[in-house]
Amino acid sequence: MPPLLRAARLLPEATWRQLFRTQGCWHDVTTYAALAPAWKHQAAHPELAVLDKAATAAG
């Protein structure tokens, strides 16, 4: 999964160590994120419209 997320221009942001346990094993979870300028570059028009509405509502 990490190669796929990096291909989508997402960067690892945080890793929660031993977040949950299944079948006797602890598992880490890494969150990924993109900064708005990088994300906007590849966003589709409907996605950009959502950002514009959020920015307008915020102020």
Side-chain angles (χ1 to χ4, degrees):
M1 186 62 82
L4 179 65
L5 295 171
R6 287 191 195 105
R9 293 183 161 176
L10 296 172
L11 301 172
E13 188 172 64
T15 299
W16 294 324
R17 302 285 179 201
Q18 299 182 348
L19 182 63
F20 65 95
R21 183 179 167 105
T22 59
Q23 298 180 355
C25 277
W26 285 101
H27 301 277
D28 297 344
V29 173
T30 301
T31 60
Y32 288 78
L35 295 175
W39 183 80
K40 283 183 179 182
H41 181 69
Q42 66 183 20
H45 181 70
E47 295 167 326
L48 292 172
V50 169
L51 285 182
D52 290 341
K53 285 181 183 178
T56 302

